[in-house]
Amino acid sequence: MSLKLRFLTPRRIRQGCIVLLVSTLLLCFVDFDVEEDSVSEAKAPNRERRIVEQWQLGDDEQMYDEGVLSPPSYLERTRVKLDNITTIPLTRVQRHVPGWTILDNVFINKGTFFLISNWSTSKPLPAARNVLSSGKDIHNDFRDELRREPTDRHMQVIDPSQVMSRLGTLAKRIEGTSFVVTESPQYFSRKYNLAAEIFFGLWRTYASLDPSITPIGETDLPIPQRVLLPNIIDFHRRDKEGFTSSILGTAFPSTTVDAAEAWQDLIDVGQTFLCDRIVVADRAAAMRTDDWHTEKHFAAFTRHFVSSPYWWVPIRNTFHERSNVFVTADELMNSRPQITYLIGSKRAGHELDPHDHEELVRELQRLKGSYGYDVEIQNIDTLSIEDQVRVAARSTIVIGTRGEALIPLLWMVPTPRSAIIEFATDLEKVPNYAFNGAIIGIASYAFYGTA
């Protein structure tokens, strides 16, 4: 069903409305004589992202003795003995807000996460219901809320003295960082929810561990070695256009995606595993907080993590490199503004009324003639990811309806005059992309009308 929008007035869009809005915005923050030093992003001939793989050993451990040319054998570094209570690794909380959590040293046995805490000396661990859920779909029903509550089958906290009796005397290490999405497939295969919420929030959470990410995206964070989807079968994690695989494959080409079938394999092995580090995302856990009623954006809870202002640059760079785009903020500030109108997805019903669409196009062309702006009009349904990145990277202002049409804002290069303009109906008064824009440095404007 298409959206027939009226902006700021109950009457139909009047001729010149869009040109007035966009012109006003541009005149407010466009300065064609901005000095070169006004842009904080550093120039560098080499934009290559530095991702350094490291073994996730304890704080006081070394990878191997100096002078030894090879790391420990695979058997040595993946075998963890649990027969000495004093050496059992305790679970450490690195980051946590409801729905987003980083934990070090987490055991898995028969599909259950075990957190190890020495109650007298360890820092308190978050409640299981604030970390994950049972993986059931989300509906507006009290009984569904109860079904989403995690049980001891999903997560338990135990004392080191209980480890040998509950988990055995030997565990196999799952090395490196694992991204774990414990929610149902309900939102995972939807483009907007995957890109702008789940993927965006996972990296935002993980990147908070490196406050020194540089303006050109250099970071010492190891890339995640795997994405675990305990409640999402492989078929349900994929969308028809291959968007999900393309997003994950571009950002993390060496990362494996292990769906529910692989999780079941871990259960069937019947062995205990020790995860070096897990970054957990669960929408249902975030929804249990009072803040959900005002936020209604899953990734918005990660705003509480302190990060480098350039935390998103390593990811954006991988997509720019894939699309052969090399654009700096300085270049954009010293060129004519480009206004891009991305026509919403017809199959999702996120498009303007035909009459309003035609009038918007007509007024954008008038802007081009009157002010000399570059104007580009593209249909989101016909653009590959590479094309979306190319268009967004050179855009000053991106205009579109809510939903997947504005996903390309993630690939924009922020400047003092960058902005997105999002159209929605009265029933959708929570802008989809306000948080995404704000947290990566792009101004966001939303206009509401009636359907």
Side-chain angles (χ1 to χ4, degrees):
M1 181 178 178
S2 64
L3 300 176
K4 186 176 180 179
L5 304 179
R6 301 176 178 87
F7 310 109
L8 312 179
T9 173
R11 294 172 294 178
R12 294 194 57 80
I13 295 178
R14 296 183 180 276
Q15 186 174 7
C17 176
I18 299 303
V19 66
L20 177 62
L21 292 174
V22 177
S23 298
T24 302
L25 288 173
L26 281 168
L27 292 175
C28 285
F29 50 77
V30 173
D31 183 358
F32 290 91
D33 298 320
V34 176
E35 297 180 4
E36 290 187 5
D37 62 0
S38 65
V39 181
S40 60
E41 183 173 353
K43 291 182 178 180
N46 181 7
R47 293 167 53 87
E48 181 178 358
R49 180 186 60 166
R50 289 172 50 203
I51 296 292
V52 180
E53 292 284 4
Q54 299 172 335
W55 283 282
Q56 302 294 321
L57 300 181
D59 295 336
D60 299 326
E61 296 180 77
Q62 294 182 358
M63 282 191 357
Y64 43 87
D65 295 334
E66 293 183 9
V68 178
L69 299 181
S70 61
S73 71
Y74 178 79
L75 184 61
E76 288 179 38
R77 72 174 192 262
T78 59
R79 182 173 53 191
V80 182
K81 294 182 179 180
L82 306 177
D83 54 0
N84 186 339
I85 191 173
T86 63
T87 60
I88 293 174
L90 300 179
T91 301
R92 296 193 299 267
V93 183
Q94 298 291 355
R95 298 290 186 273
H96 172 68
V97 294
W100 304 98
T101 309
I102 302 180
L103 298 170
D104 289 351
N105 300 327
V106 176
F107 289 89
I108 300 174
N109 182 273
K110 297 179 180 178
T112 301
F113 292 101
F114 285 89
L115 313 186
I116 313 303
S117 174
N118 186 332
W119 308 100
S120 58
T121 60
S122 299
K123 293 181 179 179
L125 297 174
R129 69 191 308 269
N130 291 329
V131 177
L132 46 69
S133 69
S134 65
K136 302 295 183 182
D137 282 355
I138 296 172
H139 301 289
N140 293 323
D141 184 281
F142 178 71
R143 290 170 296 181
D144 284 319
E145 291 184 20
L146 293 178
R147 283 193 285 266
R148 292 197 300 271
E149 288 287 337
T151 66
D152 285 348
R153 187 171 62 85
H154 303 101
M155 178 175 283
Q156 297 183 37
V157 180
I158 62 175
D159 186 88
S161 63
Q162 300 174 280
V163 168
M164 281 186 282
S165 61
R166 301 288 300 277
L167 304 179
T169 59
L170 185 69
K172 284 295 187 178
R173 169 177 270 130
I174 297 179
E175 294 183 295
T177 298
S178 304
F179 283 3
V180 185
V181 181
T182 53
E183 62 183 65
S184 77
Q186 185 177 7
Y187 293 96
F188 191 84
S189 61
R190 298 180 186 179
K191 294 180 182 180
Y192 160 72
N193 299 111
L194 173 69
E197 291 189 309
I198 298 172
F199 174 69
F200 192 83
L202 280 168
W203 182 257
R204 167 73 180 173
T205 302
Y206 187 44
S208 68
L209 296 178
D210 183 6
S212 61
I213 296 175
T214 70
I216 59 172
E218 293 178 326
T219 177
D220 288 334
L221 286 172
I223 65 172
Q225 291 189 254
R226 67 199 58 81
V227 177
L228 299 177
L229 308 172
N231 300 307
I232 305 174
I233 65 173
D234 193 65
F235 176 79
H236 287 159
R237 81 168 179 86
R238 303 175 186 273
D239 60 283
K240 294 180 180 179
E241 294 80 20
F243 181 82
T244 302
S245 299
S246 187
I247 286 286
L248 297 175
T250 299
F252 311 126
S254 62
T255 299
T256 61
V257 179
D258 297 331
E261 293 89 343
W263 184 257
Q264 185 60 48
D265 290 341
L266 287 180
I267 296 174
D268 293 342
V269 168
Q271 193 167 9
T272 296
F273 298 91
L274 172 62
C275 297
D276 287 336
R277 171 170 289 164
I278 62 174
V279 184
V280 186
D282 194 293
R283 181 184 305 268
M287 291 178 65
R288 296 189 179 103
T289 67
D290 294 335
D291 291 341
W292 180 262
H293 300 292
T294 55
E295 295 283 5
K296 291 187 184 276
H297 189 297
F298 182 24
F301 290 83
T302 64
R303 72 169 75 248
H304 299 291
F305 298 137
V306 178
S307 300
S308 162
Y310 311 107
W311 68 274
W312 185 243
V313 177
I315 300 298
R316 191 181 70 217
N317 283 353
T318 62
F319 284 85
H320 282 199
E321 291 163 2
R322 167 181 171 173
S323 304
N324 292 317
V325 174
F326 302 97
V327 180
T328 66
D330 282 335
E331 291 174 11
L332 292 180
M333 290 297 293
N334 292 306
S335 60
R336 288 185 301 181
Q338 176 174 308
I339 303 170
T340 301
Y341 168 36
L342 295 174
I343 302 170
S345 174
K346 187 173 183 178
R347 62 178 176 273
H350 292 158
E351 55 181 352
L352 291 176
D353 174 82
H355 174 81
D356 296 339
H357 162 74
E358 292 173 4
E359 189 166 357
L360 174 57
V361 171
R362 186 163 52 249
E363 296 302 336
L364 288 175
Q365 295 299 341
R366 180 183 295 185
L367 273 177
K368 180 178 181 179
S370 300
Y371 296 93
Y373 304 146
D374 291 332
V375 173
E376 187 154 352
I377 299 170
Q378 297 283 352
N379 190 317
I380 196 68
D381 284 339
T382 63
L383 293 178
S384 65
I385 287 187
E386 290 89 347
D387 291 334
Q388 292 181 30
V389 173
R390 293 187 193 104
V391 169
R394 299 188 177 279
S395 295
T396 308
I397 294 178
V398 172
I399 302 173
T401 55
R402 67 184 287 116
E404 63 187 64
L406 287 177
I407 289 175
L409 86 88
L410 302 178
W411 326 128
M412 292 177 68
V413 178
T415 71
R417 63 189 190 188
S418 298
I420 61 168
I421 300 175
E422 179 179 352
F423 299 146
T425 67
D426 280 341
L427 299 177
E428 304 167 314
K429 286 196 173 181
V430 178
N432 280 163
Y433 293 95
F435 168 74
N436 302 93
I439 208 72
I440 61 176
I442 297 174
S444 174
Y445 302 87
F447 297 96
Y448 308 106
T450 56

